[in-house]
Amino acid sequence: MTDTRLIVPEKKRISRRSALKLAGTGAASLMGGLAAGPGFVRYAQAQSSEPIRVGFQVHRTGIGAAYGRWYEQTTNAAVKLINEQGGINGRQIEIIAEDDATDPGRGAEVVEKFATQHKCDVAFGTLFSHVVMGSAPRAGELKLPYYVVSEGHHVASGALNRYTFQPGITDVKSQVISMAPWIAKNVGKKVAMIFPDFAFGYDHRDYFSAAIKAQGGEVNALIPIPPTETSFTRYFPQIPADTEVIYHVMVGPAVLTFVKELGEHFGSQHPPLFGFIDSLEAVDLKSPGLEFLEGSYLWEAYPRFAGASPTAADTFYRGKVGVDANGASVADPADISTYSHMFGCWETLYIIKQAMEAAGYQGAGDKAKLIEATEAITTIPEGNEHPQGDKIFNGKIHQSFGHQNITQVKNGVGEVVYRTTIEEGLYEPEADYTKMPL
Amino acid sequence: MSVRIILLHAGVILALFLMQFLASDYVVLTFTRIMVLAIYALGYNILFGYTGLLSLGHAMFFATGLYGAALGVTRFGLGVPEAMLVAIGLGIIVSTVIGAVSLRASGVAFMIVTLMFSQAAFLTVLYFGDYTRGDEGIVISDEFRRFSLFGLEADLANPVLRYNLALAFLALAVAVTLAVIRSRAGHVLVAIRENESRTAMLGYDTARYKLLAFVLSGAFAAFSGASYALMFAYAGSTLASIQYSIHPLLWTLLGGAATVLGPVLGTALMFLLVDFASGFTSASLLVVGVALILLVLFFPKGILGTLRQRYLPWLP
């Protein structure tokens, strides 16, 4: 679904009624119009008074829909605030949102649409790794600056291109490296890993295995679970008896079943659990069957529960995105947010603003300057613009590095027991995008 | 072959050629993708439209071409032309093996067997995730998409080259389809569709002809998959999923099964319909569903199939 949001004058909005009228012209006239009438799709070159068009690739449908809804709410809140504060270089932001169905093929098409039909200045907001991977080549080829909010290692690995950035959220390699020392010291050194049998899981497998080994620990069992799996009980006997920590990072619709079956398998006697909040984003920790999680540890990029002494920036941010101190919607306490990921949209939009202002961005002709300005960012201070915390940005690998949080579940509420330093998550750059031509 | 048939098909190719000078960048990009996918539908039509065999597993052949090309250039150091040929060759081999087994079944059983093989292929892609990168997929960087052929340097990142290459591939696929269905073998395929027992009683080795249609269809799918990977720089397991087995069936039904241009028209219309509908609703598939219901009501044989039935009996 494409729509314009927030700052566009009413008369410029595409209403549902007008869209349906257009639809009524039928496919034949659509084809004819597309072929014969370049005016239908060609937009005038953006003038300096026109809004800055941000193409928002949103997972409204498909496996990422739960995340997409909150990514959209966060994005709208950030854009509203930025526009109220005067926009970017005196220009308002216009969000052009389109559903990518959490599908890499459709994602690539949406990026093409942003670049060539909507004439967006940048594209932004993609979460799922496979959609990023499918879309990034198109963004690079069309020279459309593409700011993803994915946490995958794909950007930092050097697999993508100079036009693709991940400045608003730390990548998974950094996340696991930063937490391994605390796990080894406080929970245990013999770790059984349960992870999804696809690329996201392999990143955890490879980087955490190396990180725990560096701490004198070991992974005593690797238990990959196929993404199509719906029942998990048969995998649990593979967990060795001498396991000190069960590390789990499951995603997708079956995660609740996974956690519940894990509880049924072990009962009250089980090794400590260390899991990724990805398994439980948008899920109430007090849901029936999740009592088993009591006392377990979770990674969170941004703690869902505000705790007793939240920062002023966190309170400000929660208020703007409509999330209460428990990480739920203020409108519906049963509607749990994807708090540990969605801040990435907020912070990425402020990075785009910062880079555009540094580049003196006026229009499409300044995209190269925008890329260089983004690459020139080094430190990102904590504040209302970056409520998750301060960060370091590495322009060579287009990746930011921030603090990570280890939360313990106590009475169904997450309580932060350790916050990593940024330095604990740093690693040697694997690429240098700045050497690629613009 | 009559002059008007040649003129019609040449005219469509010419119109697509001229489109790049008239249409916007977005339309050119969109039609590049449509033409590549239409090759997939054209091949599917040989099996489904002309031979009457409904496969639910053609994503495995599309994926064979996709990964054959992607891994060929990224892991095995092949150039683009060599990777294309290897991918098509793999498509032929895989479809021969799968066809030899699955064609022992017929009707619903054939559909289920092809579906099962395709699901197995999809899981194989995930199983060998260390090579295929599973769901995340493989990005083919620009250096792997440059090649020289007959002394000419080419870069698949060039949208003009890519469009015209897709057009040339589509023209080739249309020409091969026309040649096949107008040939003696093509007539046997139609005879099998209409009455396999009678065709066998007339002395034709129907198993051999069905395998021929299956392999041709698989080769087209692999050709399309390889083109898709190299032109759009990505190969991922989603493109091997059941969804990509259903797509060519829908495109063929929409445009008109057993018409040469029907799958091309169906691919374009479905693609544009989804793209257009997603502009105003996230329920774009609902729009597609309504369109298919209308199709069944007013164009029961697909658009070109119904036109042929009512007005253009000469349409191949």
Side-chain angles (χ1 to χ4, degrees), chain A residues 1-3 16 19-20 22-25 27-28 30-31 34-38 40-42 60-61 98-99 103-106 108-109 112-113 116-117 119 129-131 133-134 136-138 141-142 152-154 159-160 197-200 202-203 205-206 226-228, chain B residues 19 22-27 29-31 33 37 119 122-123 126-130 133-142 145 156-159 162 228 231-234 236 238-239 243-244 265 268-269 271-284:
Chain A
M1 182 175 172
T2 301
D3 51 20
R16 188 175 298 274
L20 286 171
L22 200 54
T25 59
L30 167 67
M31 286 189 71
L34 287 172
F40 180 79
V41 289
R42 286 191 196 280
R60 279 187 180 142
T61 55
E98 180 136 351
D99 181 20
D103 177 88
R106 182 63 195 154
E109 293 156 25
E112 290 178 353
K113 203 170 183 179
T116 59
Q117 186 178 46
K119 304 292 183 190
S129 296
H130 62 316
V131 184
M133 294 290 274
R138 310 303 304 132
E141 195 177 302
L142 294 164
H153 183 55
H154 35 50
L160 302 178
D197 194 6
F198 54 80
F200 177 67
Y202 302 155
D203 282 349
R205 177 196 65 189
D206 298 342
T228 49
Chain B
M19 179 183 280
L22 302 170
S24 70
D25 292 346
Y26 179 63
V27 174
L29 276 172
T30 299
F31 268 82
R33 208 178 284 269
L37 293 174
Q119 284 300 95
F122 173 65
L123 292 174
L126 296 177
Y127 185 80
F128 290 103
D130 286 340
R133 293 296 293 168
D135 66 316
E136 192 172 276
I138 303 164
V139 167
I140 304 171
S141 52
D142 286 348
R145 299 164 69 211
L156 287 176
N158 180 334
R162 198 170 47 214
Y228 190 99
M231 288 191 188
F232 304 112
Y234 176 72
T238 308
L239 300 166
Q243 186 186 349
Y244 278 79
L265 179 65
L269 282 181
F271 200 96
L272 293 172
L273 187 62
V274 169
D275 192 53
F276 183 64
S278 68
F280 62 90
T281 175
S282 52
S284 55

Side-chain angles (χ1 to χ4, degrees), chain B residues 1 5-6 8-17 31-32 34-40 42 46 162-180 220 223 227 231 260-261 264:
Chain B
M1 198 178 305
I5 290 174
I6 293 172
L8 171 70
H9 292 84
V12 169
I13 298 299
L14 180 64
L16 286 168
F17 176 75
F31 268 82
T32 306
I34 287 170
M35 289 190 290
V36 168
L37 293 174
I39 296 168
Y40 184 17
L42 277 164
I46 291 175
R162 198 170 47 214
Y163 182 87
N164 287 289
L165 204 54
L167 178 60
F169 288 170
L170 178 68
L172 176 65
V174 168
V176 170
T177 306
L178 265 175
V180 168
F220 272 50
F223 184 26
S227 305
M231 288 191 188
V260 175
L261 290 176
V264 181

Side-chain angles (χ1 to χ4, degrees), chain A residues 36-252:
Chain A
F40 180 79
V41 289
R42 286 191 196 280
Y43 287 77
Q45 180 69 34
Q47 302 300 309
S48 59
S49 62
E50 289 192 349
I52 287 172
R53 289 168 175 257
V54 176
F56 179 25
Q57 195 181 26
V58 53
H59 305 329
R60 279 187 180 142
T61 55
I63 192 173
Y67 283 92
R69 192 166 58 83
W70 281 99
Y71 266 42
E72 197 160 10
Q73 185 161 325
T74 307
T75 296
N76 290 340
V79 169
K80 183 171 184 286
L81 185 62
I82 292 171
N83 285 338
E84 285 171 357
Q85 293 168 340
I88 299 175
N89 290 329
R91 293 166 63 188
Q92 299 280 283
I93 299 175
E94 177 182 353
I95 290 290
I96 312 286
E98 180 136 351
D99 181 20
D100 60 19
T102 326
D103 177 88
R106 182 63 195 154
E109 293 156 25
V110 167
V111 163
E112 290 178 353
K113 203 170 183 179
F114 288 154
T116 59
Q117 186 178 46
H118 296 300
K119 304 292 183 190
C120 290
D121 295 281
V122 299
F124 131 100
T126 326
L127 168 62
F128 272 62
S129 296
H130 62 316
V131 184
V132 172
M133 294 290 274
S135 306
R138 310 303 304 132
E141 195 177 302
L142 294 164
K143 300 192 182 303
L144 179 69
Y146 182 44
Y147 296 83
V148 303
V149 189
S150 168
E151 85 178 357
H153 183 55
H154 35 50
V155 177
S157 71
L160 302 178
N161 54 63
R162 192 158 184 191
Y163 283 79
T164 306
F165 293 88
Q166 186 157 249
I169 191 166
T170 306
D171 72 310
V172 67
K173 179 175 180 178
S174 174
Q175 291 168 0
V176 299
I177 287 174
S178 69
M179 289 180 299
W182 189 90
I183 295 172
K185 186 178 175 186
N186 296 283
V187 191
K189 291 188 173 179
K190 285 188 178 176
V191 184
M193 294 187 71
I194 305 174
F195 55 94
D197 194 6
F198 54 80
F200 177 67
Y202 302 155
D203 282 349
H204 278 271
R205 177 196 65 189
D206 298 342
Y207 301 131
F208 184 78
S209 296
I212 199 74
K213 191 176 178 185
Q215 298 300 320
E218 63 168 317
V219 172
N220 64 353
L222 290 170
I223 306 172
I225 297 189
T228 49
E229 194 61 89
T230 54
S231 179
F232 306 92
T233 306
R234 69 190 178 93
Y235 294 96
F236 299 139
Q238 296 177 38
I239 299 171
D242 62 346
T243 296
E244 294 173 2
V245 188
I246 296 175
Y247 178 109
H248 63 96
V249 51
M250 297 300 292
V251 292

Side-chain angles (χ1 to χ4, degrees), chain A residues 295-363:
Chain A
S296 71
Y297 299 98
L298 295 169
W299 160 85
E300 288 186 284
Y302 195 173
R304 176 188 298 182
F305 293 91
S309 51
T311 64
D314 181 52
T315 304
F316 174 82
Y317 166 74
R318 283 179 192 265
K320 292 296 179 185
V321 298
V323 169
D324 66 18
N326 295 320
S329 167
V330 292
D332 178 6
D335 184 5
I336 307 298
S337 69
T338 57
Y339 203 74
S340 207
H341 292 81
M342 67 195 215
F343 72 92
C345 292
W346 179 283
E347 298 205 8
T348 300
L349 282 165
Y350 275 103
I351 290 289
I352 293 171
K353 173 177 158 62
Q354 179 184 343
M356 282 188 165
E357 289 174 349
Y361 186 87
Q362 292 300 316

